[in-house]
Amino acid sequence: MAIQIKIPDWREREDSIEKVIEHHPDVPIFTILKTDLHRRGYVLSAAARAKIDVNIHHTNGIHLTGESDSTTVEGLVLRDGTLVCNGCVSDDEVVLRDPYLIDVDENDRIVITDQGRIYEEAEFWRKPDYYDKVTSKGTPMWKVANVRGKRIDSELNKYCEFWDTPGDGCKYCGIGVYGVQEKKCGHQLRVDPDDLAETLQEALKQKGRFLQFNATQGSLLGGAKLLDDELELCLDSLVRIKKLFSRFPLKASLVTTALDGQQLERLRDEGGIGIYTANIEVLNKELFQWICPGKARHIGYDGWKGRLEEAVSIFGKGNVYTDIIGGLELATPHGFKTEDEALESVLKEADLLSQKGIQVVDFVWRVYQNTIFKNQVSPSLDYYVRLSQGISALHDAYGLNNYSRDYARSGNQPSGDLDRIRRRSELGKIG
Ligand code: SF4
């Protein structure tokens, strides 16, 4: 099988990375390269694959979109600590643009290349100590929690109930499609809370490795009130593990569908959560209704924003996040027609949320072929660089310190990488 490139002439249509670097002298090359690695993906040469040592490197990841095996690595780290996660393109994948090639150079270094040019050195992520252990119930711990940099992540439930109603799933989403397949196959969809407690205890034995615990899951709409089932699923795990949260330097973080105020208070009081995320994904009311119809029908765009605002009153300014998938606003036929219009509109809306103490963070959209949006085209590299600059400037303008989506704890949000640089320049000013 070979990788298929859907836009073979994309290099003629878009500015090269060299040009983008030249246009943005204030953005580190590491951040631009990381952004493009997420946008285009990467493949490993045979020489790079031969460098993978399963005893040392982080392979075999579990994600809401599937599992990876030992033939690839979970991510790369660049010389300045920048993380690149989940970017590896599989042998039979259909992608929009040619992926980068991770290769080995004449000095035996792992390098990021494209068309024969070496852009940077990289290292493969290191495997955490708990990874090959099994819980007392016999579950491999790598299936219970995964790692992104200094954050340990657990995906409590793989199935999203928006997919129960035809047409309600988010159009860019590969999680829902995978969850539907897993459910059909009768596979385990939920993490066992006892397994999770045991895995976290084991992970914490590795001193200095982890800064934060984070959990996420697919939406569960049922219960006495909308989303009570999702809340109870989270609490079922959180109450068993919250005594461990004080052993992480940073507050525990949770991603859910937008819960209401009463539900959020329970998350804080019973679940011990200090950082909360509910992902709006698209910052435009009409586009949200088109792209996320289930979310729009059950909660609505204004309702989602209202719940984020309520979350700030419960968790505090800067402790509430909402992710956006950069580029969805350009999806055809209803999206913006130009990147300039899209950027202006997204940043205006992000400004309104930031004023209320909500941190907007930007993802780079990879168009997966198992999603409803499989025929869409993600924007140019220049667009992503401008978007991340704009978002990071908002964090700065409204004093929103990014403690959960920065360069060391997530990996796919370029604005988080820029936040680090911005804070450093502020210190310079104070001195
Ligand atoms: S809420 Fe939307 S993005 Fe999240 S898992 Fe469900 S369908 Fe996917």
Side-chain angles (χ1 to χ4, degrees), residues 88-107:
C88 199
V89 173
S90 53
D91 292 344
D92 56 354
E93 206 168 320
V94 180
V95 292
L96 298 179
R97 305 167 176 93
D98 301 74
Y100 284 87
L101 176 70
I102 309 303
D103 206 355
V104 177
D105 75 0
E106 56 195 28
N107 298 315

Side-chain angles (χ1 to χ4, degrees), residues 27 204 268 275 289 307 352 402-403:
V27 179
L204 280 161
R268 179 194 60 193
I275 293 181
Q289 283 163 347
R307 286 175 175 217
L352 295 175
N402 185 344
Y403 282 114

Side-chain angles (χ1 to χ4, degrees), residues 160 162-163 169-170 172-173 175-176 219 295:
C160 171
F162 284 124
W163 290 82
C170 301
Y172 54 83
C173 174
I175 299 170
S219 301
K295 287 178 173 185

Side-chain angles (χ1 to χ4, degrees), residues 16 20 28 42 45 50 75 90 129 134 141 154 171 175 179 237 241 251 269 292 294 310 322 353 389 418 420:
S16 64
V20 176
Y42 61 81
S45 70
S90 53
D129 289 353
V134 284
M141 288 190 180
S154 189
K171 291 185 166 58
I175 299 170
S237 285
I241 57 175
K251 293 172 195 156
D269 300 339
C292 307
E310 208 167 354
T322 194
L353 289 172
Q389 278 185 300
L418 294 181
R420 170 175 52 158

Side-chain angles (χ1 to χ4, degrees), residues 316-331:
K317 173 185 161 181
N319 291 325
V320 176
Y321 290 72
T322 194
D323 293 1
I324 57 167
I325 300 189
L328 287 176
E329 54 280 356
L330 284 148

Side-chain angles (χ1 to χ4, degrees), residues 407-418:
Y407 78 100
R409 279 181 292 277
S410 187
N412 190 358
Q413 290 106 345
S415 61
D417 294 68
L418 294 181

Side-chain angles (χ1 to χ4, degrees), residues 134-381:
V134 284
T135 67
S136 46
K137 290 185 177 175
T139 312
M141 288 190 180
W142 71 268
K143 291 201 174 205
V144 179
N146 202 348
V147 169
R148 277 189 180 192
K150 291 186 141 324
R151 197 177 80 187
I152 182 162
D153 274 6
S154 189
E155 293 162 348
L156 304 178
N157 160 44
K158 290 194 186 92
Y159 187 74
C160 171
E161 290 184 349
F162 284 124
W163 290 82
D164 284 346
T165 305
D168 265 7
C170 301
K171 291 185 166 58
Y172 54 83
C173 174
I175 299 170
V177 177
Y178 175 68
V180 169
Q181 282 165 8
E182 289 291 284
K183 194 176 179 185
K184 262 192 208 149
C185 297
H187 290 164
Q188 178 73 27
L189 295 171
R190 295 185 180 181
V191 164
D192 180 293
D194 295 329
D195 280 345
L196 179 58
E198 224 179 304
T199 301
L200 281 194
Q201 259 160 346
E202 190 60 39
L204 280 161
K205 289 181 185 164
Q206 190 175 359
K207 300 288 174 221
R209 172 79 201 234
F210 299 110
L211 288 173
Q212 189 173 43
F213 169 73
N214 177 69
T216 185
Q217 70 280 307
S219 301
L220 296 176
L221 304 174
K225 185 164 65 169
L226 180 73
L227 299 170
D228 266 356
D229 283 355
E230 187 168 335
L231 173 72
E232 295 302 341
L233 174 101
C234 295
L235 288 175
D236 197 22
S237 285
L238 294 174
V239 292
R240 294 185 217 202
I241 57 175
K242 71 174 179 181
K243 61 179 182 300
L244 300 173
F245 293 165
S246 61
R247 293 172 58 194
F248 291 94
L250 294 173
K251 293 172 195 156
S253 150
L254 181 72
V255 185
T256 70
T257 318
L259 301 175
D260 73 16
Q262 277 180 333
Q263 292 167 325
L264 292 172
E265 279 174 1
R266 288 190 60 197
L267 271 188
R268 179 194 60 193
D269 300 339
E270 295 170 41
I273 285 301
I275 293 181
Y276 177 70
T277 300
N279 295 327
I280 199 162
E281 315 286 18
V282 191
L283 281 184
N284 176 283
K285 189 170 180 172
E286 287 71 36
L287 293 177
F288 178 84
Q289 283 163 347
W290 171 48
I291 297 171
C292 307
K295 287 178 173 185
R297 203 159 62 77
H298 287 276
I299 299 168
Y301 186 73
D302 296 330
W304 199 284
K305 290 202 305 185
R307 286 175 175 217
L308 286 170
E309 228 179 286
E310 208 167 354
V312 174
S313 69
I314 293 162
F315 293 98
K317 173 185 161 181
N319 291 325
V320 176
Y321 290 72
T322 194
D323 293 1
I324 57 167
I325 300 189
L328 287 176
E329 54 280 356
L330 284 148
T332 57
H334 303 299
F336 292 95
K337 302 298 173 233
T338 70
E339 291 189 350
D340 284 347
E341 278 176 285
L343 192 67
E344 189 187 340
S345 167
V346 168
L347 291 179
K348 210 161 154 189
E349 193 69 358
D351 192 318
L352 295 175
L353 289 172
S354 306
Q355 284 175 30
K356 311 245 160 124
I358 300 157
Q359 299 217 38
V360 177
V361 286
D362 53 316
F363 262 76
V364 178
W365 181 20
R366 281 273 298 280
V367 179
Y368 289 107
Q369 294 303 301
N370 64 349
T371 64
I372 296 167
F373 267 0
K374 64 183 180 190
N375 292 323
Q376 297 286 345
V377 175
S378 57
S380 69
L381 176 58

